Amino acid sequence: MRTDAELKADVMERLDAIPAVNASDIEIDVDRGVVTLSGHVDTHQTRFQVERTARRVPGIRSLSISLKPGQLAGKKHYH
């Protein structure tokens, strides 16, 4: 069984790989394999992408999504 820290790191890494997602807009909490994602994304499509990506992480017992599309979400910034 994977630790909460391992699950969180895996989810963070996978979300960071989605071009439309600014991972700093998403809070990831993990408690005994239960992952909760909260925060903001730019569109409903992005929310769906985040959910689909998180569900693919092995070892997650349950996933709760509390992401609000279209509010204060930023895109990735490249300097």
Side-chain angles (χ1 to χ4, degrees):
M1 186 166 168
R2 301 177 72 197
T3 67
D4 287 349
E6 289 170 331
L7 290 173
K8 183 174 182 174
D10 198 354
V11 171
M12 286 172 57
E13 182 178 319
R14 290 173 188 236
L15 294 184
D16 198 41
I18 302 172
V21 172
N22 182 350
S24 67
D25 289 335
I26 299 174
E27 184 176 332
I28 303 167
D29 292 313
V30 184
D31 183 25
R32 292 177 284 184
V34 177
V35 176
T36 302
L37 302 178
S38 57
H40 303 281
V41 292
D42 58 346
T43 66
H44 288 280
Q45 178 62 30
T46 302
R47 183 191 183 284
F48 175 73
Q49 251 187 315
V50 167
E51 181 176 354
R52 186 178 62 209
T53 299
R55 288 195 187 283
R56 292 182 177 153
V57 175
I60 291 179
R61 291 181 44 222
S62 177
L63 179 64
S64 174
I65 306 289
S66 182
L67 295 172
K68 295 174 178 57
Q71 299 179 5
L72 305 173
K75 298 218 181 225
K76 285 189 178 179
H77 301 285
Y78 298 96
H79 299 287

